[in-house]
Amino acid sequence: MKDQDNKTLSNTQRAVRDLRQMIVSGELAAGTDHLESELAATLGMSRTPVREAALMLESKGLLEMRPRKGVRILPVSSEDMREIYDILTELESLAAQRAAEAGYSKEDLAVLAASIAQMDKAIETEDLEAWAKADELFHQELVRLGGNKRIEAIVAMMSDQVRRARATTLFIRPLPVKSNEDHRAVFQAICEGRPDEAHDRHREHRLQAKAILCGILEKHRLNSL
Amino acid sequence: MKDQDNKTLSNTQRAVRDLRQMIVSGELAAGTDHLESELAATLGMSRTPVREAALMLESKGLLEMRPRKGVRILPVSSEDMREIYDILTELESLAAQRAAEAGYSKEDLAVLAASIAQMDKAIETEDLEAWAKADELFHQELVRLGGNKRIEAIVAMMSDQVRRARATTLFIRPLPVKSNEDHRAVFQAICEGRPDEAHDRHREHRLQAKAILCGILEKHRLNSL
DNA sequence: GCATTCTTTAACGTATACGTAAAAAAATGC
DNA sequence: GCATTTTTTTACGTATACGTTAAAGAATGC
């Protein structure tokens, strides 16, 4: 079913998609090395498209190509986490502001509203996977509504880099009930066209997330996720 | 002389360096298409390293690979300019703030001071090339002092994307005498450890640059540089 | 003369081959 | 037994070959 569009995807594109998935899911563990020929065998193709894919994923900060050492899956330290959350804070807050300036209709904001509803439900049922998914959707959609394609791309890239670490901390941290209050406030501000409010609320939201996540990483000495 | 370090660079790396240079300098004009085989012939190597380099430059937003159409050098519209300056505004302002928080010594800030001196001189002699170079140095060094490697990389990427457009507007706009006052104010704030001041002054600086540049582009109908 | 189908061309995607150089293993000397 | 040199291995960087297929051009039918 999902193999259908494989027909139109080149091997290089499949390799990018599959390797990215294997990295963010942890199937290729952080810090591990993998020969190009191994990956090629795993993916059932020759080295050429694997190399091309690896170069692209290197540009996206997911791995590093080291001659004769193989492809290294980049681990994420708490310092990396700080860098990334600082960037997410600034760019997402701007997106929130711009979304509020855009004068979107209720229908335009349907996905954002849905992500909030999904998170409510996830918290009620204490389903952490669902919570993470709803959280991801909210942030992604918020950035999309911001209308800056490059911010979208950068935020997606940064999100990929921290996805593994976030997944880990998810089961350590307390149930994040506060998050959805923040989302709701940002949503309201966007609905009512209050850019500064949207900006500042989202900014606070991200600053808190940074503090919590980096706190957990440092407390548990998780310095290479 | 500059060929010495070629010895240690792979063809792929040379291709990245040379193609990037040819793009930002305008030698490969915006909007033009180039076959992989042509580029390979130009650079004196086979298609393989050229393809690898093109994929990396595609990730950096400098070109687009379109099957059978060749590699397309991406033009920059005034809308692109807005997107990019919005990102630069946020990330550089944060860098300025962090630099002010870091408590750097006079020596640490020598390069930043030098860039201001260079710009003074450039304005005095009305040397626009030198002005642009000093401007670039100030912003690059500021971001470096901010201490966030990812912001450094993103800002470098965005700067590359607008370099051609900036070079063009440089000869249309009035001599930017105000810029260095801003730089000096940011520098002072960093010296004296006033993060908010550094942040806000730099933010204003970038917002004005955005308005001026986008204004020129739209006024002159320059929508594809 | 125009639309349509067929043929031809050529650019790309990718497999493969191979030289090079780094790392590992083996051999040598002390 | 350890350090040093030599040999072997092997992973990579890159040239090359080739099938596929999209686009351009030619031929056909109306």
Side-chain angles (χ1 to χ4, degrees):
Chain A
M1 39 199 73
K2 72 167 65 165
D3 283 2
Q4 273 184 330
D5 41 19
N6 270 11
K7 280 284 189 292
T8 59
L9 284 182
S10 71
N11 278 358
T12 300
Q13 290 170 314
R14 285 207 303 115
V16 169
R17 187 195 60 187
D18 293 349
L19 288 177
R20 172 188 168 279
Q21 185 54 41
M22 290 164 80
I23 293 170
V24 301
S25 72
E27 188 178 340
L28 292 178
T32 57
D33 294 328
H34 307 271
L35 297 179
E36 291 172 11
S37 45
E38 287 173 19
L39 294 175
T42 304
L43 298 178
M45 56 185 75
S46 80
R47 275 177 54 220
T48 307
V50 170
R51 261 183 77 84
E52 293 189 349
L55 287 165
M56 288 194 260
L57 294 172
E58 186 174 41
S59 301
K60 295 183 151 225
L62 290 182
L63 55 84
E64 189 182 20
M65 294 183 77
R66 303 186 308 172
R68 293 168 202 284
K69 298 289 181 77
V71 163
R72 179 183 179 75
I73 310 303
L74 286 180
V76 174
S77 68
S78 71
E79 179 52 31
D80 291 320
M81 202 78 152
R82 285 182 191 285
E83 285 202 7
I84 290 166
Y85 266 81
D86 277 353
I87 292 166
L88 292 176
T89 300
E90 299 303 320
L91 298 187
E92 287 186 4
S93 300
L94 177 62
Q97 179 186 329
R98 289 289 149 84
E101 287 165 355
Y104 285 120
S105 69
K106 272 270 149 53
E107 302 90 66
D108 292 332
L109 302 176
V111 174
L112 206 61
S115 76
I116 292 174
Q118 284 169 28
M119 188 176 274
D120 275 336
K121 194 171 175 184
I123 290 172
E124 213 171 292
T125 59
E126 297 194 6
D127 182 344
L128 289 173
E129 302 281 7
W131 180 88
K133 214 174 147 191
D135 188 58
E136 175 77 16
L137 178 59
F138 177 87
H139 287 269
Q140 188 184 307
E141 176 68 3
L142 174 69
V143 164
R144 198 187 66 75
L145 292 168
N148 184 320
K149 292 286 179 197
R150 285 173 174 82
I151 290 184
E152 253 185 271
I154 294 168
V155 166
M157 187 168 112
M158 295 298 129
S159 297
D160 272 357
Q161 289 182 26
V162 291
R163 185 152 293 143
R164 276 193 320 267
R166 279 175 50 105
T168 303
T169 54
L170 192 57
F171 297 97
I172 303 177
R173 66 186 288 191
L175 192 65
V177 285
K178 169 79 165 47
S179 262
N180 221 19
E181 288 175 37
D182 296 343
H183 288 192
R184 221 182 293 273
V186 172
F187 177 77
Q188 273 302 321
I190 292 172
C191 276
E192 296 165 14
R194 297 202 309 269
D196 290 350
E197 171 94 5
H199 179 281
D200 295 350
R201 290 299 304 239
H202 192 76
R203 182 182 175 76
E204 274 310 310
H205 173 55
R206 272 312 199 187
L207 287 175
Q208 282 173 28
K210 177 190 171 190
I212 290 171
L213 289 182
C214 291
I216 290 175
L217 292 190
E218 275 150 28
K219 184 177 159 199
H220 292 258
R221 306 271 192 286
L222 295 170
N223 230 67
S224 175
L225 282 178
Chain B
M1 38 201 74
K2 70 166 70 166
D3 284 2
Q4 273 183 329
D5 42 19
N6 273 9
K7 280 285 189 292
T8 57
L9 284 181
S10 70
N11 278 356
T12 300
Q13 290 169 314
R14 284 205 306 115
V16 168
R17 187 195 60 185
D18 293 350
L19 289 177
R20 172 189 168 281
Q21 185 54 40
M22 290 163 80
I23 293 170
V24 301
S25 72
E27 188 178 342
L28 293 177
T32 57
D33 293 328
H34 307 271
L35 296 179
E36 291 173 11
S37 44
E38 287 173 18
L39 295 174
T42 304
L43 299 178
M45 56 184 75
S46 80
R47 276 178 54 221
T48 306
V50 170
R51 262 184 76 83
E52 293 188 349
L55 287 166
M56 289 193 259
L57 294 173
E58 186 174 42
S59 301
K60 294 183 151 223
L62 289 182
L63 55 84
E64 189 182 19
M65 295 183 78
R66 301 185 309 171
R68 289 162 206 288
K69 299 287 181 80
V71 162
R72 178 183 180 74
I73 310 305
L74 286 179
V76 175
S77 68
S78 71
E79 180 52 35
D80 290 321
M81 202 78 153
R82 286 183 190 285
E83 285 201 9
I84 290 166
Y85 266 81
D86 278 353
I87 293 166
L88 291 175
T89 300
E90 299 303 319
L91 298 187
E92 286 186 4
S93 299
L94 177 62
Q97 179 186 328
R98 289 289 148 84
E101 287 164 355
Y104 285 121
S105 69
K106 271 271 148 52
E107 302 89 68
D108 293 330
L109 301 176
V111 174
L112 205 61
S115 77
I116 292 174
Q118 284 169 29
M119 188 175 275
D120 274 336
K121 193 170 174 183
I123 289 172
E124 213 172 292
T125 59
E126 297 193 8
D127 182 344
L128 289 173
E129 303 281 7
W131 180 89
K133 213 173 147 192
D135 188 58
E136 176 78 17
L137 178 58
F138 177 87
H139 286 270
Q140 189 183 307
E141 176 67 2
L142 174 69
V143 164
R144 196 188 69 74
L145 293 167
N148 184 321
K149 292 287 180 197
R150 285 172 174 83
I151 290 184
E152 250 185 273
I154 293 169
V155 166
M157 188 168 110
M158 295 297 130
S159 297
D160 272 357
Q161 289 182 26
V162 291
R163 186 154 291 140
R164 274 194 321 269
R166 279 174 49 104
T168 303
T169 56
L170 192 58
F171 297 97
I172 303 176
R173 66 187 289 192
L175 192 65
V177 285
K178 169 80 164 46
S179 262
N180 220 20
E181 288 175 37
D182 295 343
H183 287 192
R184 222 182 293 273
V186 173
F187 176 77
Q188 273 302 323
I190 292 172
C191 276
E192 296 166 14
R194 297 203 309 269
D196 290 351
E197 170 96 4
H199 179 279
D200 295 350
R201 289 299 302 240
H202 193 77
R203 182 180 175 76
E204 273 310 308
H205 174 56
R206 273 312 200 187
L207 287 174
Q208 281 172 27
K210 177 190 171 191
I212 290 170
L213 289 182
C214 291
I216 291 174
L217 293 189
E218 275 151 28
K219 183 178 159 199
H220 291 259
R221 306 272 192 288
L222 295 169
N223 230 68
S224 175
L225 282 177

